[in-house]
């Protein structure tokens, strides 16, 4: 979703940059973090088919139950960037919401991850692996000259979350 | 990648240092200096960092939970921090010192492949203390 003609924005940017005093310009160039939250509910089984039931239970505990179980996952997507001098935004939140819906919520909400959401037919859907997959899906979509994907935090429960980011 | 797991414990304590007079303690610590003590519902967030193991995990959850239970929760939950926790003996039981003590309690028996990188304790919903743990 592009709200403004890019050529118009870059023209306006050039004018604003030229007219803005240096000290004010530097204040506006500081990097900021922006976080958008989304929820999805999904079921999964954490078990490696190459291992025995006993081995899987030793590694994954109750999560290895072959019948599956579910979580209300909460994902927090953090972008880092500089506010655009014209729009005042690091990234269009409506566009970010739409990207998260398309890449994460629509394909994963109310799904059995192991059976319905590749690559979890081949990769064990641990919280770590789901966070990595969300990172992989979003990193190709969240692209802007002034913003980049910084972190994906995935809560499996209110008491356990994983951070997947450039720095870790 | 990093994984953060939350634990809870309740404990009583009193902020008081023998290095100061009764009046100075009362002035410095205020209500927290009440001689009868008081308690909190502490919330402990532990963050570990490391690569994924072949099972797709940073750390085995049950191993982490067992370590925290054995090394920390068993010693502090429903305890008086001033008189019952060896690692805090002789120290003022501020949440800063509690965070350092918990880091030490964990690291003394840390055998997990992932690295402990952060100890965060909320004393109340309004007061949170965070300690970056160095290798």
């Amino acid at each position: 979703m592009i709200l403004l003609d890019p050529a118009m924005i870059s023209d306006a940017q050039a004018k604003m940059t030229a007219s803005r005093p240096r000290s004010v310009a530097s204040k506006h160039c500081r990097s900021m973090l922006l976080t958008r939250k989304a929820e999805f509910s999904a079921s999964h089984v954490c078990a490696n088919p190459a291992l025995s039931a006993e081995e899987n239970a030793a590694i994954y505990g109750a999560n290895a139950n072959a019948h599956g179980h579910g979580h209300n996952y909460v994902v927090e997507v953090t972008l880092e960037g500089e506010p655009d001098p014209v729009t005042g935004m690091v990234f269009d939140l409506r566009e970010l919401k739409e990207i998260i819906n398309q890449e994460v919520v629509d394909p994963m909400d109310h799904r059995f991850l192991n059976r319905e959401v590749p690559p979890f037919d081949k990769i064990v859907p641990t919280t770590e692996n789901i966070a990595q997959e969300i990172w992989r899906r979003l990193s190709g979509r969240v692209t802007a000259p002034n913003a980049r994907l910084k972190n994906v935090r995935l809560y499996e429960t209110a008491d356990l979350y994983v951070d997947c980011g450039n720095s870790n | 990648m990093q994984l953060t797991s939350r634990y809870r414990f309740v404990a009583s304590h009193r902020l008081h240092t023998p290095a100061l007079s009764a009046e100075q303690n009362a002035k410095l610590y205020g209500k927290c200096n009440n001689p009868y003590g008081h308690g909190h519902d502490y919330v402990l967030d532990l963050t570990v960092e490391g690569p994924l193991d072949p099972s797709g995990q940073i750390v085995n959850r049950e191993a982490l939970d067992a370590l925290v239970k054995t090394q920390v929760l068993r010693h502090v939950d429903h305890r008086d921090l001033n008189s019952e926790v060896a690692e805090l003996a002789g120290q003022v039981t501020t949440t800063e010192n509690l965070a350092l003590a918990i880091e030490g309690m964990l690291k003394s028996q840390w055998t997990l492949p992932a690295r402990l990188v952060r100890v965060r304790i909320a004393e109340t919903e309004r007061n949170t203390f965070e300690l970056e743990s160095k290798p």
Side-chain angles (χ1 to χ4, degrees), chain A residues 48 57-63 124 126-129 131-132 153 156 158-165 167-168, chain B residues 1-8 45 47 49-50 52-62 64-65 118 120:
Chain A
N48 185 334
I59 295 169
Y60 301 109
N63 290 313
V124 182
T126 58
T127 315
E128 291 92 327
N129 280 337
Q132 273 197 335
R153 175 172 289 183
E156 183 182 83
D159 289 351
L160 191 126
Y161 64 81
V162 161
D163 284 306
C164 181
S167 55
N168 52 54
Chain B
M1 292 183 84
Q2 293 186 342
L3 177 141
T4 301
S5 192
R6 172 165 288 188
Y7 306 90
R8 294 175 175 82
D45 288 329
T47 301
E49 181 175 290
L52 298 194
D53 66 17
S55 74
Q57 300 181 109
I58 296 168
V59 67
N60 183 296
R61 309 286 193 271
E62 292 188 351
L64 176 63
D65 291 350
R118 194 172 310 117
R120 181 170 57 207

Side-chain angles (χ1 to χ4, degrees), chain A residues 45 47-50 60 112-126 129, chain B residues 54-56:
Chain A
V45 174
N48 185 334
Y60 301 109
F112 191 159
L113 298 177
N114 303 62
R115 298 196 186 156
E116 298 187 275
V117 185
F120 302 118
D121 51 339
K122 298 185 175 65
I123 296 171
V124 182
T126 58
N129 280 337
Chain B
S55 74

